[in-house]
Amino acid sequence: MSIPELSINPLAQRLVRSFESVNFVDFARLLAAFSDRASYEEKVRFIFRVYDVDGDGLVTHDDMQIMLRQLAGSSLSDDDIAWLVRKALQEADSPQGLSLDAFKATLTQQDLAGMTVQVPTEL
Protein backbone atom coordinates (compact mmCIF):
# COMPACT_ATOMS: atom_id res chain seq x y z
CA MET A 1 0.00 0.00 0.00
CA SER A 2 1.29 3.39 -0.88
CA ILE A 3 -0.42 5.23 2.00
CA PRO A 4 2.14 5.04 4.84
CA GLU A 5 -0.46 5.21 7.62
CA LEU A 6 -2.35 2.26 6.12
CA SER A 7 0.68 0.20 5.20
CA ILE A 8 1.69 -0.15 8.86
CA ASN A 9 -1.85 -0.62 10.17
CA PRO A 10 -2.68 -4.27 10.98
CA LEU A 11 -6.32 -3.55 10.11
CA ALA A 12 -5.48 -2.10 6.71
CA GLN A 13 -7.15 -4.88 4.75
CA ARG A 14 -10.40 -4.52 6.72
CA LEU A 15 -10.33 -0.75 6.17
CA VAL A 16 -9.63 -1.07 2.46
CA ARG A 17 -12.44 -3.64 2.07
CA SER A 18 -14.92 -1.17 3.54
CA PHE A 19 -14.14 1.15 0.61
CA GLU A 20 -14.46 -1.49 -2.13
CA SER A 21 -17.42 -1.48 -4.50
CA VAL A 22 -18.84 1.84 -3.34
CA ASN A 23 -20.03 4.76 -5.40
CA PHE A 24 -18.70 8.26 -4.82
CA VAL A 25 -21.43 9.24 -2.35
CA ASP A 26 -20.80 6.10 -0.24
CA PHE A 27 -17.05 6.71 -0.46
CA ALA A 28 -17.50 10.27 0.82
CA ARG A 29 -19.70 9.02 3.68
CA LEU A 30 -17.11 6.42 4.69
CA LEU A 31 -14.28 8.91 4.49
CA ALA A 32 -16.26 11.46 6.52
CA ALA A 33 -15.68 9.38 9.67
CA PHE A 34 -12.02 10.40 9.50
CA SER A 35 -12.73 14.11 9.30
CA ASP A 36 -11.92 16.31 12.28
CA ARG A 37 -15.54 17.52 11.93
CA ALA A 38 -16.99 14.00 12.27
CA SER A 39 -18.99 13.46 15.42
CA TYR A 40 -18.11 10.91 18.06
CA GLU A 41 -21.21 8.94 16.96
CA GLU A 42 -20.06 8.80 13.31
CA LYS A 43 -16.61 7.59 14.33
CA VAL A 44 -18.03 4.90 16.61
CA ARG A 45 -20.40 3.66 13.88
CA PHE A 46 -17.49 3.36 11.44
CA ILE A 47 -15.30 1.46 13.92
CA PHE A 48 -18.23 -0.79 14.79
CA ARG A 49 -18.68 -1.70 11.10
CA VAL A 50 -14.97 -2.56 10.88
CA TYR A 51 -15.14 -4.81 13.96
CA ASP A 52 -18.45 -6.41 12.93
CA VAL A 53 -16.63 -8.70 10.50
CA ASP A 54 -19.69 -10.69 9.38
CA GLY A 55 -21.99 -7.65 9.25
CA ASP A 56 -24.71 -9.14 11.46
CA GLY A 57 -25.08 -6.08 13.71
CA LEU A 58 -23.14 -7.57 16.63
CA VAL A 59 -19.44 -7.68 17.40
CA THR A 60 -19.43 -11.33 18.40
CA HIS A 61 -16.83 -13.62 19.91
CA ASP A 62 -15.75 -14.72 16.42
CA ASP A 63 -15.54 -11.13 15.15
CA MET A 64 -13.38 -10.14 18.11
CA GLN A 65 -11.10 -13.14 17.65
CA ILE A 66 -10.52 -12.26 14.00
CA MET A 67 -9.79 -8.62 14.81
CA LEU A 68 -7.53 -9.42 17.76
CA ARG A 69 -5.57 -11.92 15.65
CA GLN A 70 -5.05 -9.19 13.02
CA LEU A 71 -3.95 -6.71 15.68
CA ALA A 72 -1.74 -9.06 17.70
CA GLY A 73 -0.26 -11.12 14.87
CA SER A 74 1.72 -14.01 16.26
CA SER A 75 2.46 -12.31 19.59
CA LEU A 76 -0.57 -14.00 21.22
CA SER A 77 -1.53 -17.66 21.10
CA ASP A 78 -5.02 -18.74 20.04
CA ASP A 79 -5.72 -19.63 23.69
CA ASP A 80 -4.63 -16.14 24.82
CA ILE A 81 -6.87 -14.53 22.23
CA ALA A 82 -9.85 -16.71 23.19
CA TRP A 83 -9.33 -15.84 26.87
CA LEU A 84 -9.08 -12.09 26.15
CA VAL A 85 -12.24 -12.14 24.05
CA ARG A 86 -14.18 -14.09 26.71
CA LYS A 87 -12.95 -11.67 29.38
CA ALA A 88 -13.89 -8.60 27.32
CA LEU A 89 -17.40 -9.90 26.63
CA GLN A 90 -17.85 -10.84 30.31
CA GLU A 91 -16.77 -7.37 31.45
CA ALA A 92 -19.15 -5.81 28.94
CA ASP A 93 -21.89 -8.13 30.27
CA SER A 94 -22.61 -9.14 26.67
CA PRO A 95 -21.72 -12.83 26.27
CA GLN A 96 -23.46 -13.07 22.85
CA GLY A 97 -21.67 -10.02 21.45
CA LEU A 98 -21.70 -6.25 21.51
CA SER A 99 -24.49 -4.27 19.93
CA LEU A 100 -23.66 -0.80 18.66
CA ASP A 101 -24.81 0.70 21.97
CA ALA A 102 -22.75 -1.75 24.04
CA PHE A 103 -19.76 -1.17 21.78
CA LYS A 104 -20.17 2.59 22.18
CA ALA A 105 -20.30 2.22 25.96
CA THR A 106 -16.79 0.73 25.94
CA LEU A 107 -15.27 3.77 24.19
CA THR A 108 -14.73 7.33 25.35
CA GLN A 109 -14.39 10.56 23.39
CA GLN A 110 -10.67 10.50 24.14
CA ASP A 111 -10.26 7.03 22.61
CA LEU A 112 -11.26 8.48 19.24
CA ALA A 113 -9.44 11.81 19.40
CA GLY A 114 -6.72 10.68 16.98
CA MET A 115 -9.10 9.24 14.40
CA THR A 116 -8.56 11.90 11.77
CA VAL A 117 -6.85 12.07 8.42
CA GLN A 118 -5.49 15.37 7.18
CA VAL A 119 -5.96 15.83 3.45
CA PRO A 120 -3.51 18.21 1.82
CA THR A 121 -5.27 21.05 0.03
CA GLU A 122 -2.30 22.05 -2.08
CA LEU A 123 -1.03 19.76 -4.79
mmCIF file of all heavy atoms in Angstrom, residues 85-107:
data_model
loop_
_atom_site.group_PDB
_atom_site.id
_atom_site.type_symbol
_atom_site.label_atom_id
_atom_site.label_comp_id
_atom_site.label_asym_id
_atom_site.label_seq_id
_atom_site.Cartn_x
_atom_site.Cartn_y
_atom_site.Cartn_z
ATOM 1 N N VAL A 85 -10.914 -12.413 24.605
ATOM 2 C CA VAL A 85 -12.239 -12.138 24.054
ATOM 3 C C VAL A 85 -13.322 -12.511 25.062
ATOM 4 O O VAL A 85 -14.261 -11.732 25.291
ATOM 5 C CB VAL A 85 -12.434 -12.874 22.713
ATOM 6 C CG1 VAL A 85 -13.883 -12.803 22.254
ATOM 7 C CG2 VAL A 85 -11.511 -12.287 21.655
ATOM 8 N N ARG A 86 -13.203 -13.689 25.690
ATOM 9 C CA ARG A 86 -14.182 -14.091 26.715
ATOM 10 C C ARG A 86 -14.227 -13.070 27.838
ATOM 11 O O ARG A 86 -15.299 -12.657 28.287
ATOM 12 C CB ARG A 86 -13.843 -15.475 27.276
ATOM 13 C CG ARG A 86 -14.381 -16.624 26.467
ATOM 14 C CD ARG A 86 -14.317 -17.948 27.229
ATOM 15 N NE ARG A 86 -13.024 -18.237 27.817
ATOM 16 C CZ ARG A 86 -11.996 -18.803 27.169
ATOM 17 N NH1 ARG A 86 -12.136 -19.159 25.903
ATOM 18 N NH2 ARG A 86 -10.859 -19.033 27.770
ATOM 19 N N LYS A 87 -13.047 -12.639 28.285
ATOM 20 C CA LYS A 87 -12.953 -11.669 29.380
ATOM 21 C C LYS A 87 -13.598 -10.342 28.990
ATOM 22 O O LYS A 87 -14.345 -9.742 29.770
ATOM 23 C CB LYS A 87 -11.476 -11.465 29.738
ATOM 24 C CG LYS A 87 -11.237 -10.574 30.907
ATOM 25 C CD LYS A 87 -11.483 -11.303 32.192
ATOM 26 C CE LYS A 87 -10.980 -10.452 33.333
ATOM 27 N NZ LYS A 87 -11.717 -10.712 34.548
ATOM 28 N N ALA A 88 -13.325 -9.870 27.783
ATOM 29 C CA ALA A 88 -13.892 -8.601 27.323
ATOM 30 C C ALA A 88 -15.418 -8.674 27.259
ATOM 31 O O ALA A 88 -16.110 -7.738 27.701
ATOM 32 C CB ALA A 88 -13.324 -8.233 25.957
ATOM 33 N N LEU A 89 -15.950 -9.766 26.723
ATOM 34 C CA LEU A 89 -17.403 -9.901 26.634
ATOM 35 C C LEU A 89 -18.041 -10.051 28.009
ATOM 36 O O LEU A 89 -19.138 -9.549 28.249
ATOM 37 C CB LEU A 89 -17.781 -11.058 25.720
ATOM 38 C CG LEU A 89 -17.482 -10.829 24.232
ATOM 39 C CD1 LEU A 89 -17.733 -12.099 23.427
ATOM 40 C CD2 LEU A 89 -18.281 -9.664 23.680
ATOM 41 N N GLN A 90 -17.344 -10.729 28.939
ATOM 42 C CA GLN A 90 -17.854 -10.840 30.308
ATOM 43 C C GLN A 90 -17.903 -9.466 30.969
ATOM 44 O O GLN A 90 -18.889 -9.103 31.596
ATOM 45 C CB GLN A 90 -16.963 -11.760 31.143
ATOM 46 C CG GLN A 90 -17.157 -13.220 30.883
ATOM 47 C CD GLN A 90 -16.132 -14.074 31.631
ATOM 48 O OE1 GLN A 90 -15.156 -13.572 32.197
ATOM 49 N NE2 GLN A 90 -16.340 -15.379 31.612
ATOM 50 N N GLU A 91 -16.813 -8.696 30.828
ATOM 51 C CA GLU A 91 -16.770 -7.371 31.450
ATOM 52 C C GLU A 91 -17.810 -6.432 30.851
ATOM 53 O O GLU A 91 -18.317 -5.544 31.524
ATOM 54 C CB GLU A 91 -15.370 -6.771 31.335
ATOM 55 C CG GLU A 91 -14.389 -7.428 32.264
ATOM 56 C CD GLU A 91 -13.021 -6.757 32.277
ATOM 57 O OE1 GLU A 91 -12.900 -5.603 31.816
ATOM 58 O OE2 GLU A 91 -12.077 -7.410 32.761
ATOM 59 N N ALA A 92 -18.126 -6.622 29.592
ATOM 60 C CA ALA A 92 -19.151 -5.807 28.942
ATOM 61 C C ALA A 92 -20.558 -6.340 29.240
ATOM 62 O O ALA A 92 -21.544 -5.727 28.853
ATOM 63 C CB ALA A 92 -18.918 -5.765 27.436
ATOM 64 N N ASP A 93 -20.630 -7.471 29.953
ATOM 65 C CA ASP A 93 -21.887 -8.129 30.272
ATOM 66 C C ASP A 93 -22.698 -8.410 29.004
ATOM 67 O O ASP A 93 -23.906 -8.215 28.966
ATOM 68 C CB ASP A 93 -22.701 -7.303 31.273
ATOM 69 C CG ASP A 93 -23.790 -8.126 31.951
ATOM 70 O OD1 ASP A 93 -23.625 -9.365 32.054
ATOM 71 O OD2 ASP A 93 -24.801 -7.539 32.363
ATOM 72 N N SER A 94 -21.986 -8.841 27.963
ATOM 73 C CA SER A 94 -22.611 -9.144 26.669
ATOM 74 C C SER A 94 -22.020 -10.431 26.104
ATOM 75 O O SER A 94 -21.276 -10.405 25.132
ATOM 76 C CB SER A 94 -22.368 -7.994 25.690
ATOM 77 O OG SER A 94 -22.963 -6.811 26.111
ATOM 78 N N PRO A 95 -22.351 -11.581 26.702
ATOM 79 C CA PRO A 95 -21.724 -12.833 26.267
ATOM 80 C C PRO A 95 -22.007 -13.196 24.808
ATOM 81 O O PRO A 95 -21.217 -13.891 24.181
ATOM 82 C CB PRO A 95 -22.301 -13.883 27.222
ATOM 83 C CG PRO A 95 -23.516 -13.268 27.805
ATOM 84 C CD PRO A 95 -23.321 -11.785 27.773
ATOM 85 N N GLN A 96 -23.124 -12.738 24.239
ATOM 86 C CA GLN A 96 -23.457 -13.066 22.849
ATOM 87 C C GLN A 96 -22.766 -12.141 21.857
ATOM 88 O O GLN A 96 -22.669 -12.456 20.684
ATOM 89 C CB GLN A 96 -24.971 -13.001 22.634
ATOM 90 C CG GLN A 96 -25.759 -13.948 23.522
ATOM 91 C CD GLN A 96 -25.290 -15.385 23.406
ATOM 92 O OE1 GLN A 96 -25.085 -15.876 22.306
ATOM 93 N NE2 GLN A 96 -25.113 -16.048 24.527
ATOM 94 N N GLY A 97 -22.318 -10.996 22.328
ATOM 95 C CA GLY A 97 -21.671 -10.025 21.453
ATOM 96 C C GLY A 97 -22.113 -8.616 21.799
ATOM 97 O O GLY A 97 -23.048 -8.414 22.571
ATOM 98 N N LEU A 98 -21.429 -7.657 21.216
ATOM 99 C CA LEU A 98 -21.701 -6.251 21.508
ATOM 100 C C LEU A 98 -22.560 -5.632 20.414
ATOM 101 O O LEU A 98 -22.199 -5.646 19.247
ATOM 102 C CB LEU A 98 -20.383 -5.478 21.599
ATOM 103 C CG LEU A 98 -19.392 -5.930 22.666
ATOM 104 C CD1 LEU A 98 -18.070 -5.202 22.498
ATOM 105 C CD2 LEU A 98 -19.962 -5.688 24.046
ATOM 106 N N SER A 99 -23.692 -5.074 20.838
ATOM 107 C CA SER A 99 -24.492 -4.266 19.926
ATOM 108 C C SER A 99 -23.767 -2.931 19.740
ATOM 109 O O SER A 99 -22.778 -2.651 20.428
ATOM 110 C CB SER A 99 -25.874 -4.011 20.527
ATOM 111 O OG SER A 99 -25.727 -3.207 21.704
ATOM 112 N N LEU A 100 -24.264 -2.113 18.851
ATOM 113 C CA LEU A 100 -23.656 -0.797 18.664
ATOM 114 C C LEU A 100 -23.650 -0.016 19.967
ATOM 115 O O LEU A 100 -22.642 0.594 20.332
ATOM 116 C CB LEU A 100 -24.376 -0.012 17.563
ATOM 117 C CG LEU A 100 -23.877 1.417 17.318
ATOM 118 C CD1 LEU A 100 -22.394 1.449 16.960
ATOM 119 C CD2 LEU A 100 -24.706 2.087 16.235
ATOM 120 N N ASP A 101 -24.748 -0.043 20.709
ATOM 121 C CA ASP A 101 -24.809 0.698 21.974
ATOM 122 C C ASP A 101 -23.819 0.162 22.998
ATOM 123 O O ASP A 101 -23.155 0.935 23.691
ATOM 124 C CB ASP A 101 -26.227 0.660 22.552
ATOM 125 C CG ASP A 101 -27.202 1.516 21.749
ATOM 126 O OD1 ASP A 101 -26.749 2.475 21.080
ATOM 127 O OD2 ASP A 101 -28.411 1.230 21.802
ATOM 128 N N ALA A 102 -23.711 -1.158 23.103
ATOM 129 C CA ALA A 102 -22.752 -1.749 24.044
ATOM 130 C C ALA A 102 -21.322 -1.443 23.612
ATOM 131 O O ALA A 102 -20.459 -1.170 24.444
ATOM 132 C CB ALA A 102 -22.964 -3.255 24.148
ATOM 133 N N PHE A 103 -21.078 -1.488 22.320
ATOM 134 C CA PHE A 103 -19.756 -1.167 21.783
ATOM 135 C C PHE A 103 -19.405 0.281 22.110
ATOM 136 O O PHE A 103 -18.304 0.585 22.555
ATOM 137 C CB PHE A 103 -19.769 -1.400 20.270
ATOM 138 C CG PHE A 103 -18.432 -1.289 19.592
ATOM 139 C CD1 PHE A 103 -17.548 -2.351 19.590
ATOM 140 C CD2 PHE A 103 -18.067 -0.121 18.936
ATOM 141 C CE1 PHE A 103 -16.321 -2.261 18.945
ATOM 142 C CE2 PHE A 103 -16.844 -0.020 18.296
ATOM 143 C CZ PHE A 103 -15.971 -1.089 18.302
ATOM 144 N N LYS A 104 -20.376 1.173 21.901
ATOM 145 C CA LYS A 104 -20.166 2.595 22.180
ATOM 146 C C LYS A 104 -19.864 2.826 23.659
ATOM 147 O O LYS A 104 -19.042 3.676 23.998
ATOM 148 C CB LYS A 104 -21.405 3.387 21.762
ATOM 149 C CG LYS A 104 -21.233 4.861 21.859
ATOM 150 C CD LYS A 104 -22.420 5.691 21.386
ATOM 151 C CE LYS A 104 -23.635 4.977 20.993
ATOM 152 N NZ LYS A 104 -24.760 5.854 20.659
ATOM 153 N N ALA A 105 -20.495 2.064 24.527
ATOM 154 C CA ALA A 105 -20.297 2.218 25.962
ATOM 155 C C ALA A 105 -18.874 1.878 26.397
ATOM 156 O O ALA A 105 -18.420 2.314 27.450
ATOM 157 C CB ALA A 105 -21.298 1.360 26.730
ATOM 158 N N THR A 106 -18.159 1.106 25.580
ATOM 159 C CA THR A 106 -16.791 0.727 25.937
ATOM 160 C C THR A 106 -15.763 1.779 25.514
ATOM 161 O O THR A 106 -14.608 1.703 25.912
ATOM 162 C CB THR A 106 -16.389 -0.619 25.300
ATOM 163 O OG1 THR A 106 -16.328 -0.468 23.879
ATOM 164 C CG2 THR A 106 -17.358 -1.713 25.676
ATOM 165 N N LEU A 107 -16.186 2.750 24.698
ATOM 166 C CA LEU A 107 -15.269 3.773 24.192
ATOM 167 C C LEU A 107 -15.565 5.128 24.818
ATOM 168 O O LEU A 107 -16.697 5.409 25.195
ATOM 169 C CB LEU A 107 -15.404 3.903 22.667
ATOM 170 C CG LEU A 107 -15.102 2.663 21.854
ATOM 171 C CD1 LEU A 107 -15.496 2.889 20.402
ATOM 172 C CD2 LEU A 107 -13.635 2.309 21.950
#
